Amino acid sequence: MNERQKQLLKEIVESYVRDAKPVGSKALVEKLKCSSATIRNEMSALEELGYLEKTHSSSGRVPSKEGYKYYVDNIMEPKELNGEEMLKLQTIFSNTNLVLSDAIKECMEIISELTNYTSIVLGKDSESCTLKQLNIIPIDDKKLVALLVASNGHVENKQIVVPEMVEVKEIVKVSEIINKHLIGTPIRDVSAKMEFEIKPRIQVLIKEYESVYNMFQNVFNDFAERNGDVFFGGRTNMLNQPEFDEVDKVKNIMEKLEDYEAVRRIEAKEDGVNIYIGDENEFDKDVTVVKTSYKANGEEGTIAIIGPTRMEYERVVTLLNYLKSQIER
């Protein structure tokens, strides 16, 4: 590929990413300082090389997946964060009340808002994240606070209204049973153990055991969801992208985002920030996955952005690189 073709591919990729409209030769005459005929010839050459595609609706071209790959590997230049973006992320990490895992999730939520793509945080597999402690703190005869702690340091407190016909002391008794039998249990397994180990025990001790059991199950389900090893930011952002305006594509991508095993395959195993376009990723051929791993303070995991192949690559890479540096500093 000659230098003019590289410049042409760069302009087409960045124009299409920005506007989601096929790029015609007339739009490029001034930028490339050559005739429309010359640009059309170079476009044809790039199409033959497999880097551009012609759309049915116009004479303009759009990048192919191979075109995006070439752009990422050979042309793309890092894009600096602006002050507002940097400040938003720095503010999260300066909040001493947040544990690291929560800070990462809040930052990825912000990145989803900035980019309009879907962000994912994959912590350690929940086999390694366990229930460390459950405390019940009575407020009065009808209210209490359940305080839960996970082995990764995540803490959650939830105010609970005591069910009718149930005494607070009975709930405290159940919490003691839970602490005796469930401490050290992986978060993802707590719900099942509540059903098969705790429920039979409290059934013989408490008359309104069903109400108490359901109360604790709700607490643990909420805790597991918030503390889970998979976190999404902007899960429905894909629906805002013109590439996903067809019902079948929307259904496919949303089903995959709800598939735990499919999402788990996004886990980063390589160093640095890596980009997987279309068939290169194991998630979906119609998307790009940009991801990197992190390790800090005994915690490790993956941060990733999922978007259309028409992605603002340089910005996403810069945001993930910056976040990784903040996590590991």
Side-chain angles (χ1 to χ4, degrees):
M1 189 184 294
N2 61 44
E3 287 304 312
R4 184 160 60 196
Q5 289 170 343
K6 285 184 181 180
Q7 181 63 23
L8 179 59
L9 181 60
K10 178 178 186 294
E11 294 294 340
I12 291 175
V13 168
E14 293 178 0
S15 175
Y16 188 61
V17 165
R18 183 176 61 251
D19 302 326
K21 295 178 181 179
V23 184
S25 58
K26 290 181 180 179
L28 299 167
V29 168
E30 188 174 335
K31 287 188 176 182
L32 272 68
K33 307 299 181 186
C34 55
S35 70
S36 182
T38 299
I39 292 174
R40 284 197 299 272
N41 288 337
E42 296 289 29
M43 280 181 164
S44 295
L46 287 172
E47 191 174 349
E48 287 180 14
L49 290 169
Y51 297 128
L52 295 180
E53 296 173 342
K54 184 180 284 188
T55 65
H56 298 297
S57 58
S58 75
S59 59
R61 301 318 199 275
V62 300
S64 66
K65 288 174 184 175
E66 288 302 321
Y68 286 121
K69 291 174 189 177
Y70 189 92
Y71 172 82
V72 165
D73 293 338
N74 301 283
I75 301 174
M76 183 180 76
E77 297 175 355
K79 185 174 185 178
E80 291 186 9
L81 294 186
N82 63 43
E84 184 181 354
E85 292 170 340
M86 199 174 291
L87 181 61
K88 282 183 177 181
L89 298 175
Q90 287 176 343
T91 300
I92 300 299
F93 281 100
S94 64
N95 185 348
T96 55
N97 293 322
L98 287 176
V99 296
L100 180 61
S101 59
D102 287 343
I104 293 170
K105 291 172 184 175
E106 289 202 20
C107 283
M108 290 300 280
E109 189 81 63
I110 287 172
I111 289 176
S112 279
E113 293 172 5
L114 293 173
T115 61
N116 207 26
Y117 304 140
T118 297
S119 65
I120 294 178
V121 182
L122 301 176
K124 288 182 181 179
D125 190 278
S126 54
E127 288 295 332
S128 59
C129 182
T130 62
L131 179 65
K132 186 176 181 181
Q133 191 174 1
L134 165 67
N135 287 329
I136 295 298
I137 304 166
I139 297 175
D140 55 37
D141 290 343
K142 287 299 168 187
K143 288 182 183 177
L144 54 84
V145 171
L147 182 69
L148 298 101
V149 183
S151 59
N152 64 359
H154 183 78
V155 179
E156 188 90 19
N157 59 75
K158 184 169 182 177
Q159 186 167 309
I160 299 169
V161 176
V162 179
E164 288 293 330
M165 309 298 291
V166 175
E167 295 182 24
V168 170
K169 65 180 181 180
E170 291 180 318
I171 295 175
V172 173
K173 183 187 297 183
V174 172
S175 73
E176 292 170 353
I177 294 171
I178 290 172
N179 276 316
K180 182 177 180 181
H181 295 281
L182 295 191
I183 297 306
T185 299
I187 299 298
R188 66 189 299 182
D189 295 337
V190 167
S191 182
K193 285 204 169 189
M194 282 289 295
E195 174 70 28
F196 296 111
E197 295 186 22
I198 303 302
K199 191 174 184 179
R201 285 186 166 90
I202 67 172
Q203 188 172 355
V204 298
L205 295 175
I206 300 174
K207 184 178 180 181
E208 300 293 331
Y209 76 92
E210 196 79 45
S211 295
V212 176
Y213 168 78
N214 289 335
M215 183 199 75
F216 275 106
Q217 271 292 34
N218 290 335
V219 169
F220 283 123
N221 287 338
D222 287 349
F223 185 59
E225 184 176 331
R226 291 175 179 273
N227 188 72
D229 55 352
V230 177
F231 167 82
F232 289 94
R235 189 195 292 257
T236 60
N237 281 357
M238 286 293 218
L239 307 185
N240 300 326
Q241 305 297 335
E243 291 87 342
F244 295 93
D245 59 358
E246 297 175 13
V247 174
D248 287 345
K249 282 192 174 183
V250 170
K251 183 179 178 183
N252 177 58
I253 199 68
M254 295 312 293
E255 283 178 352
K256 286 189 175 178
L257 288 172
E258 292 172 2
D259 183 341
Y260 177 89
E261 294 303 324
V263 173
R264 257 282 153 211
R265 287 196 289 272
I266 292 172
E267 186 175 12
K269 298 178 175 65
E270 304 84 359
D271 293 331
V273 174
N274 293 279
I275 300 170
Y276 302 88
I277 301 170
D279 296 332
E280 291 181 336
N281 70 73
E282 297 182 43
F283 187 71
D284 188 276
K285 64 181 178 59
D286 291 322
V287 306
T288 286
V289 177
V290 184
K291 60 184 177 180
T292 188
S293 60
Y294 66 85
K295 185 178 289 188
N297 302 331
E299 292 189 40
E300 57 186 274
T302 296
I303 49 178
I305 296 292
I306 299 178
T309 53
R310 185 189 56 81
M311 176 184 279
E312 197 174 356
Y313 290 98
E314 60 278 89
R315 188 178 185 212
V316 170
V317 168
T318 299
L319 283 164
L320 287 189
N321 263 323
Y322 182 76
L323 181 53
K324 179 181 173 71
S325 71
Q326 291 294 301
I327 294 170
E328 296 183 340
R329 65 179 179 175

